[in-house]
Amino acid sequence: MCGRFREALPLDQENAQQRELLFGPASFFTLNTLNALSIDMRESGDYPGARDFQEDAYRRARSELGEEHPLTLRIARNLAVCRRRDGAYTEAAKLSEETLRRFVARYGPDHFDAMSSATNVSVDQRLAGDLESSRQLAEVTLRRFEQRLGENHAYTLLTKANLATTLRTLGALDQAQELEDDAASRLADGVGAQHVTTLTVAIGQANTAYARVDFERAHEIDQANLPLLAEVAGEEHPLTLSCMANLGLDLRGLGRGAEADELQRKATDGFARVVRADHPWLLAARQRRRIECDMAPMPL
């Protein structure tokens, strides 16, 4: 929950090994830990590995527990995020929508699992180009998080930042900046200025500034954010590389072409080492387009 996924990873690996030894490879306890382990893998930056790992956990859960079991649904929700981060947008959207439908049918729309699934569906809708549906769902989900967890909870705020990304894509730059500036401020006060969620919101803040053709502000944000992401997430984490590629665009906007070329080359080479060859972020870096990064709630 502190965003220290690289430290959580070996703990969950050990726990998964012990639980599989004690309870078997498809027990509730083992599958629950495998679900957590895939989150560690994904948030540590191993998008392809996390997806492959979670596909296997989902097959085990469906076979052992059934498609409607709450743990199977939570594993499915996580798998949908793993697919999205791995660049499989269509497959991610299909699974996230089905998971949301099942959670709402089982628990109602105000349950935490349903709200978390709705946050993910809103991101998938944005990526599919269904911007109005994304905006509407994100706004409703944000209100639900505010009512259930409060205005300052990290999951309320990441939902607000995801909504800001949709608004930015719609061209509502004033609304987007207002939401993400508020989310960034509250996150800094709550989980800290160097929490990975706070740093991810800053990527969006820079994108809004860039959309305003305010290259100075975009550069200021990205330049300050890049070393922090490198320290917190890792130098070759996709988030760090996204910030690096975006910073290159800031520099290009400021007329600093040689520096921009070097940064974007480094970002592209880095992406080529850590994501699949057709990943949208790698393609965006090559084509000199801004990269948008989403956030997903962790299990509570």
Side-chain angles (χ1 to χ4, degrees), residues 115-250:
M115 293 190 299
S116 297
S117 298
T119 295
N120 296 333
V121 169
S122 174
V123 173
D124 293 328
Q125 289 172 333
R126 172 179 61 79
L127 292 170
D130 189 357
L131 300 179
E132 193 55 36
S133 294
S134 174
R135 181 190 65 79
Q136 291 176 8
L137 182 57
E139 288 176 344
V140 169
T141 306
L142 176 59
R143 289 195 293 271
R144 288 190 169 122
F145 269 116
E146 287 173 341
Q147 291 166 2
R148 292 296 307 276
L149 298 179
E151 293 185 349
N152 293 318
H153 194 282
Y155 295 171
T156 304
L157 298 172
L158 71 81
T159 301
K160 180 178 286 189
N162 283 340
L163 171 58
T165 303
T166 297
L167 291 170
R168 177 167 56 251
T169 309
L170 282 165
L173 301 183
D174 288 344
Q175 290 176 271
Q177 182 174 338
E178 180 181 354
L179 288 180
E180 62 201 2
D181 286 355
D182 180 67
S185 175
R186 292 175 186 265
L187 282 166
D189 290 341
V191 298
Q194 295 191 27
H195 192 284
V196 69
T197 303
T198 311
L199 301 179
T200 305
V201 173
I203 293 175
Q205 290 177 290
N207 283 347
T208 298
Y210 189 89
R212 291 184 179 280
V213 200
D214 187 350
F215 301 135
E216 289 283 359
R217 182 169 192 263
H219 176 263
E220 179 183 348
I221 295 170
D222 283 331
Q223 187 176 47
N225 203 22
L226 182 58
L228 297 176
L229 280 166
E231 178 183 352
V232 172
E235 291 186 357
E236 291 215 331
H237 193 290
L239 288 175
T240 307
L241 297 171
S242 296
C243 184
M244 181 183 294
N246 288 348
L247 178 58
L249 291 174
D250 304 334

Side-chain angles (χ1 to χ4, degrees), residues 4-14 37 40-41 44:
R4 291 156 54 185
F5 299 105
R6 289 183 293 177
E7 294 178 54
L9 181 62
L11 299 176
D12 273 326
Q13 286 174 328
E14 174 66 18
L37 179 53
D40 298 337
M41 294 171 65
S44 293

